[in-house]
Amino acid sequence: MKTIVLFGAGKSATVLINYLKQLATDGFCHVIIADADLNLLQEKVGNNVFVSSQEINITDELQRYSLIEKADVVISLMPPTLHYLIATSCIGLKKHLLTGSYIDDATKELAPKIDTANILFLYEMGLDPGIDHMSAMQLIDTIDDNGGKITSFISHCGGLIAPESDDNPWHYKVSWNPKNIIMAGKGGAIYLEENTIKHKNYDILFADCKQTLVQGLGQLAYYPNRDSLSYKDVYKLNNATTFIRTTLRHTDFVIGWAQIIHLKLTDELPFYQTNNITISQFFNKHLKRFDLYSVYNDIINDSFLLKNQFAFLFTDDTIFINKGFCCAADVLQFIIEQKLVLQTNDKDMVVMQHDINYDETLHEIKDTPTAKFKVSSTLIVIGENNVNTAMAKTVGLPLGIAAKMIIENKIPLRGLKIPIYKEIYKPVLNELKNWGIAFNETITRL
């Protein structure tokens, strides 16, 4: 019997673990789930006799090798910095590897060895990146097959809070790795808009954000995400004059987060001894450190929204931080984990929307010039509760489905790949529909 090994049992792993447990229970394969946190493993795996759990130090080469050696397919939901260790072991043992993380430069250098080993390393196979790639390429290939020429491509995605659980002035709750929320946008962004390459530095990334209309939800704000241009050639959109990949947020969130950055609350220089100090005390120390009292007062006096947002996060004399010596970003992460936590019955929401403009000749009408169209393809997924979240569902299921298809020899590709190929996106997107992950498309003639 084939074996799937999953490294990582954190927030985003819940639905994937349940999917793999069902595969094992059905007799399809054996499953081993490994994590450094034994209590977390016991919570997620339970007493399923068809699934093994193993506590592991992923940096221990012998432990890592002994576990990967048992696998036919390895899935990694570990922090991105640890993927490389798993990748080198998979190459040495000739095992397929799947992850939802971006391909970094170190992994790109492994590409010749992956080819030589004749294995598949499928990266960027989660939500964003992942489902965004697959759904975008399906649209792009369909338009291309019909003779259309894409002129503008804008792809939005965000992990949000469902309207029925939206009860704080930030209109946000944590449904995935909170560290990533704090660090979002640190590297700035680069994208193409109306044939002009544009850069947005971190200090202005959240300022004056544009909005997009999402059917059923209204207007959502967005900011450009990382390096959009690196995907322009990947998506075969060399002639597009606009190419942007973005992150969606509630409009009030980006207004507040712009001021979080302005007040240097994501600063990463260790400075604070946080033992036995409250959130309010930290905030006052921070404003004093950077001489920002007057700036802060101007901010809250000019905006009722911002006054409420900052009071919600930073006015608390009952919670002690107790994180030792750390930076402002670490403290901000702690505060958000306390204040913007998903409660037991809260529901999160994933929203994805592709807006594509293209030209197409109407062959059935003689002497008609090229007509212009816009297709909007929208995905909205609502979570069940604070454990079976929409984020866990959309991050985990593509990995589980792809792992199953590799074992079934339904994905013949080898080498270092992302899911832009029909051999991957067609069967995976079709299977995702069975799990309620499906896009609604509207085409408008412009």
Side-chain angles (χ1 to χ4, degrees):
M1 184 180 290
K2 302 288 188 180
T3 298
I4 296 174
V5 171
L6 167 63
F7 289 106
K11 279 183 180 293
S12 298
T14 306
V15 176
L16 172 58
I17 289 172
N18 290 338
Y19 179 87
L20 295 178
K21 284 163 67 174
Q22 189 60 55
L23 289 183
T25 302
D26 292 342
F28 177 80
C29 64
H30 182 55
V31 172
I32 304 172
I33 300 171
D35 195 278
D37 188 333
L38 183 60
N39 291 330
L40 188 62
L41 279 171
Q42 292 173 341
E43 176 189 330
K44 295 288 180 74
V45 177
N47 296 317
N48 191 304
V49 297
F50 302 100
V51 179
S52 303
S53 60
Q54 183 169 324
E55 186 179 11
I56 188 173
N57 174 8
I58 199 70
T59 63
D60 186 312
E61 186 175 6
L62 288 178
Q63 286 189 42
R64 200 170 64 243
Y65 258 73
S66 65
L67 196 52
I68 292 174
E69 192 173 26
K70 301 173 184 176
D72 293 281
V73 177
V74 176
I75 304 173
S76 176
L77 283 180
M78 300 297 284
T81 53
L82 298 175
H83 290 324
Y84 185 82
L85 295 176
I86 298 170
T88 54
S89 298
C90 285
I91 291 172
L93 294 165
K94 296 186 177 181
K95 308 294 185 178
H96 305 297
L97 173 63
L98 291 81
T99 177
S101 294
Y102 288 97
I103 298 177
D104 59 17
D105 290 337
T107 304
K108 289 177 183 177
E109 293 182 2
L110 295 175
K113 294 182 179 179
I114 298 167
D115 289 336
T116 300
N118 194 35
I119 52 178
L120 174 62
F121 272 30
L122 183 53
Y123 275 56
E124 307 188 16
M125 191 59 188
L127 167 65
D128 175 12
I131 293 176
D132 59 341
H133 291 329
M134 293 187 285
S135 52
M137 284 308 304
Q138 187 171 61
L139 285 169
I140 291 166
D141 287 343
T142 299
I143 291 170
D144 184 62
D145 290 344
N146 291 330
K149 303 296 181 184
I150 293 173
T151 58
S152 174
F153 174 90
I154 305 178
S155 178
H156 309 285
C157 185
L160 306 163
I161 189 68
E164 58 263 47
S165 300
D166 186 354
D167 57 9
N168 69 67
W170 288 89
H171 306 286
Y172 190 84
K173 293 185 181 180
V174 177
S175 62
W176 61 308
N177 187 341
K179 184 70 172 179
N180 291 346
I181 296 166
I182 305 302
M183 295 293 104
K186 276 276 184 172
I190 180 172
Y191 55 97
L192 182 70
E193 187 171 38
E194 295 179 357
N195 232 15
T196 300
I197 294 176
K198 295 188 176 182
H199 300 260
K200 286 196 89 171
N201 294 329
Y202 178 57
D203 59 345
I204 63 168
L205 189 64
F206 291 85
D208 300 321
C209 288
K210 295 181 180 180
Q211 296 183 336
T212 188
L213 177 63
V214 178
Q215 195 69 35
L217 296 175
Q219 297 284 346
L220 290 174
Y222 65 86
Y223 61 90
N225 185 15
R226 301 184 183 220
D227 178 7
S228 293
L229 294 185
S230 62
Y231 288 96
K232 191 168 181 284
D233 290 341
V234 171
Y235 285 8
K236 301 177 289 187
L237 294 180
N238 298 323
N239 296 322
T241 57
T242 293
F243 190 94
I244 311 173
R245 287 161 48 86
T246 87
T247 298
L248 289 172
R249 289 288 183 263
H250 192 283
T251 301
D252 288 353
F253 179 93
V254 297
I255 291 171
W257 204 258
Q259 298 308 319
I260 288 280
I261 296 169
H262 187 47
L263 292 173
K264 302 184 186 300
L265 286 159
T266 61
D267 181 76
E268 294 179 82
L269 181 66
F271 182 83
Y272 303 99
Q273 175 51 255
T274 63
N275 290 343
N276 299 316
I277 72 167
T278 67
I279 290 174
S280 291
Q281 288 170 332
F282 155 76
F283 190 59
N284 286 321
K285 284 178 180 289
H286 179 81
L287 294 179
K288 183 178 180 180
R289 173 193 174 191
F290 288 107
D291 193 22
L292 288 169
Y293 274 111
S294 61
V295 175
Y296 172 66
N297 286 328
D298 288 343
I299 288 170
I300 63 173
N301 288 332
D302 288 344
S303 170
F304 183 72
L305 167 67
L306 290 167
K307 184 177 182 179
N308 280 346
Q309 288 179 324
F310 276 85
F312 184 84
L313 288 184
F314 301 107
T315 305
D316 194 316
D317 283 316
T318 65
I319 298 177
F320 288 84
I321 298 167
N322 292 333
K323 288 181 64 70
F325 191 68
C326 59
C327 65
D330 293 331
V331 179
L332 179 61
Q333 179 180 333
F334 169 82
I335 294 170
I336 281 181
E337 288 173 340
Q338 302 299 311
K339 299 289 186 175
L340 299 181
V341 63
L342 278 172
Q343 301 300 322
T344 302
N345 294 316
D346 277 343
K347 297 179 180 181
D348 72 323
M349 176 174 66
V350 164
V351 180
M352 183 179 292
Q353 181 163 294
H354 306 299
D355 293 320
I356 301 177
N357 291 6
Y358 61 97
D359 298 339
E360 186 176 315
T361 301
L362 302 179
H363 297 287
E364 69 275 14
I365 304 176
K366 292 183 178 180
D367 303 322
T368 298
T370 300
K372 297 182 180 297
F373 296 90
K374 177 180 179 178
V375 58
S376 289
S377 183
T378 305
L379 170 72
I380 300 174
V381 181
I382 306 290
E384 297 176 22
N385 49 45
N386 68 334
V387 176
N388 294 312
T389 62
M391 182 63 69
K393 185 176 183 178
T394 51
V395 168
L397 284 177
L399 289 164
I401 292 167
K404 178 176 180 286
M405 290 180 174
I406 290 171
I407 287 177
E408 294 174 323
N409 293 317
K410 292 181 178 178
I411 298 180
L413 297 174
R414 295 294 181 264
L416 179 59
K417 307 293 185 186
I418 65 173
I420 58 171
Y421 304 92
K422 290 181 181 179
E423 296 95 324
I424 298 172
Y425 74 66
K426 276 191 172 182
V428 174
L429 288 176
N430 282 336
E431 180 64 20
L432 284 173
K433 289 178 183 178
N434 296 330
W435 294 87
I437 301 175
F439 287 78
N440 292 315
E441 294 179 11
T442 58
I443 300 176
T444 305
R445 184 170 178 178
L446 303 177

